[in-house]
Amino acid sequence: MHATTILMVRKGGRVVIGGDGQVSLGQTIVKGNARKVRRLAKGTVIGGFAGATADAFTLFERLEAKLEQYPGQLTRACVELTKDWRTDRYLRRLEAMMLVADKEVGLLLSGAGDVLEPEGGVMAIGSGGNYALAAARALEDSAHDAETIVRKAMRIAAEICVYTNENLVIESLEATPEQV
């Protein structure tokens, strides 16, 4: 997916998702302050998207419905969403990827049917995703907290990827007591 960078880091009892604000149309920057990271399920889930904006909003709405159907069960809601995404003729055409997390789990969702949990608590998507992922992995053993790692890694991605800027939206959740 082009035109964005979304990064998730889980460390020290917190999960943080950050996204840049750039919207590109071909080689033109259309907007620099888009909000690609948001809270879902009354603030208990955070998510970010890469891909076509209208498609991502459709997927966020569908995920919200699944979270209402399966409250407190992010993994189940995501599996059910990706089943629909793969089998529904309309949804199959959507071009987006999502990173979503709650206090217990973080997942990557794709239209190919992927529901993946990150190894080591770090995952990224979008055109600058690999740059942000590499930077975050390099920083994860440092003394920095999850939000600092996201901010630094996203800044590095913005310096390398022309489809990523430094206008960040960051959302985070505290872990449950047994995860601290």
Side-chain angles (χ1 to χ4, degrees):
M1 296 292 162
H2 290 312
T4 201
T5 303
I6 304 293
L7 174 64
M8 175 176 53
V9 174
R10 184 179 294 273
K11 182 180 179 186
R14 262 178 107 198
V15 61
V16 178
I17 296 181
D20 76 308
Q22 185 166 304
V23 176
S24 303
L25 189 57
Q27 297 176 342
T28 304
I29 297 170
V30 178
K31 184 176 179 174
N33 63 347
R35 186 171 178 84
K36 302 172 196 171
V37 176
R38 56 194 65 235
R39 290 186 170 272
L40 306 163
K42 299 178 183 156
T44 63
V45 173
I46 52 177
F49 69 87
T53 306
D55 294 353
F57 285 128
T58 299
L59 291 170
F60 272 142
E61 289 171 6
R62 296 284 181 125
L63 181 57
E64 279 276 12
K66 295 295 182 186
L67 289 166
E68 287 176 16
Q69 189 176 358
Y70 306 105
Q73 300 178 62
L74 179 61
T75 302
R76 175 129 188 234
C78 289
V79 168
E80 295 300 324
L81 173 65
T82 55
K83 281 183 193 177
D84 292 350
W85 197 350
R86 290 279 298 156
T87 58
D88 183 277
R89 189 176 175 142
Y90 167 73
L91 292 177
R92 234 186 354 247
R93 293 191 178 114
L94 299 182
E95 296 181 16
M97 293 181 81
M98 298 172 68
L99 287 180
V100 296
D102 66 8
K103 293 179 180 186
E104 295 158 6
V105 68
L107 302 166
L108 177 146
L109 310 178
S110 81
D114 300 312
V115 180
L116 303 171
E117 189 170 0
E119 188 174 311
V122 179
M123 190 170 272
I125 57 174
S127 58
N130 287 336
Y131 307 118
L133 179 63
R137 284 189 177 164
L139 292 167
E140 71 182 322
D141 289 334
S142 71
H144 298 303
D145 65 8
E147 184 171 337
T148 302
I149 291 171
V150 167
R151 288 184 183 281
K152 287 177 176 275
M154 291 294 292
R155 187 171 59 246
I156 290 166
E159 291 172 359
I160 299 169
C161 178
V162 297
Y163 296 109
T164 303
N165 69 17
E166 293 187 47
N167 293 337
L168 303 180
V169 172
I170 308 267
E171 293 285 354
S172 66
L173 295 170
E174 299 300 321
T176 55
E178 53 273 2
Q179 286 186 305
V180 177

